[in-house]
Amino acid sequence: LRKKWELRSYAQDITNIVFHLDASPYSIAAVLCINDEPWEFFSSPLTQDDVVIHRRKIGDSKGQQVWESLTLLVALTLWFNYWSCSRCSFTIKSDNNSALILAATLKSSKGLNLIAREIALLYCKAQYEPRFLEHVPGVMNVAADSLSRLNDPSKTYSIPEWLQSAKRVETPARTREFYKTLSFHTAGGSERG
């Protein structure tokens, strides 16, 4: 591991960064806000790679804790350069307590071990970690909730108007190569987690 601290991180004004996270049994989604303005967002359907690696089914609510925590990992990875090396007030908002506890303590249930290891590795590389974690009731997590349901086959959702000025970004492919710690904990091609 290599970590660096830059003087400009301490000299610049504090930026307010907020992640709004949500997942459904069909998609993961998040919104990045900078200084209270929506900046970027993603809505990514769950994939066959997600099913194989995490051993949960698309459309089955039994995988909800995994998908919520995966949303956290993808957001932290995708937007690493926004939060990791800049002087900022960094808040993660989610309607899922398991994902928030994972972000705060890196403690997890057996099914979330892989995600916890990946987040721990990101924290090791970063100058900063999330400073505030906030539970948002599901009915108030409107934008992220709508984005997480864009691929729900039973209903029609659209991108919230609040995000019209924000940039939609693609998430990295969540193949085995996405997970830096997976190769250390595999046997016979399956995650022991």
Side-chain angles (χ1 to χ4, degrees):
L1 286 174
R2 192 172 158 189
K3 205 171 194 175
K4 67 179 181 177
W5 283 265
E6 297 179 3
L7 179 60
R8 69 178 175 86
S9 298
Y10 298 95
Q12 67 190 24
D13 291 337
I14 294 177
T15 303
N16 182 27
I17 294 176
V18 179
F19 288 3
H20 299 267
L21 310 176
D22 200 22
S24 75
Y26 300 97
S27 300
I28 61 174
V31 178
L32 163 66
C33 290
I34 299 177
N35 295 330
D36 299 323
E37 294 293 326
W39 201 257
E40 293 181 352
F41 68 92
F42 69 79
S43 177
S44 178
L46 295 172
T47 66
Q48 193 57 38
D49 287 314
D50 295 327
V51 169
V52 170
I53 291 169
H54 297 288
R55 292 188 248 157
R56 300 293 189 277
K57 295 179 183 175
I58 295 172
D60 186 350
S61 62
K62 290 179 183 174
Q64 194 64 28
Q65 303 308 322
V66 172
W67 307 141
E68 297 277 1
S69 298
L70 180 61
T71 305
L72 171 64
L73 172 60
V74 170
L76 289 169
T77 302
L78 181 64
W79 294 320
F80 185 79
N81 290 334
Y82 285 101
W83 65 269
S84 65
C85 57
S86 298
R87 189 168 173 236
C88 64
S89 170
F90 180 24
T91 304
I92 294 175
K93 294 185 178 186
S94 175
D95 61 6
N96 185 271
N97 282 322
S98 292
L100 292 172
I101 290 168
L102 182 59
T105 66
L106 299 175
K107 292 182 181 178
S108 66
S109 63
K110 185 177 179 183
L112 299 177
N113 283 346
L114 171 61
I115 296 170
R117 288 194 309 264
E118 293 293 318
I119 292 172
L121 185 59
L122 286 172
Y123 285 1
C124 285
K125 293 178 183 178
Q127 292 177 20
Y128 302 95
E129 292 180 20
R131 189 164 189 185
F132 305 104
L133 303 162
E134 184 178 330
H135 181 264
V136 180
V139 295
M140 298 189 65
N141 201 18
V142 178
D145 181 68
S146 294
L147 292 173
S148 74
R149 297 178 186 279
L150 290 178
N151 295 292
D152 187 332
S154 65
K155 297 180 182 169
T156 303
Y157 288 86
S158 60
I159 296 171
E161 193 172 314
W162 179 63
L163 297 175
Q164 294 305 317
S165 63
K167 178 182 176 186
R168 185 173 186 169
V169 294
E170 296 298 317
T171 60
R174 294 181 300 277
T175 61
R176 293 182 65 81
E177 290 73 30
F178 173 75
Y179 299 92
K180 309 295 184 243
T181 65
L182 188 57
S183 61
F184 298 109
H185 294 275
T186 55
S190 64
E191 158 62 5
R192 288 183 177 191

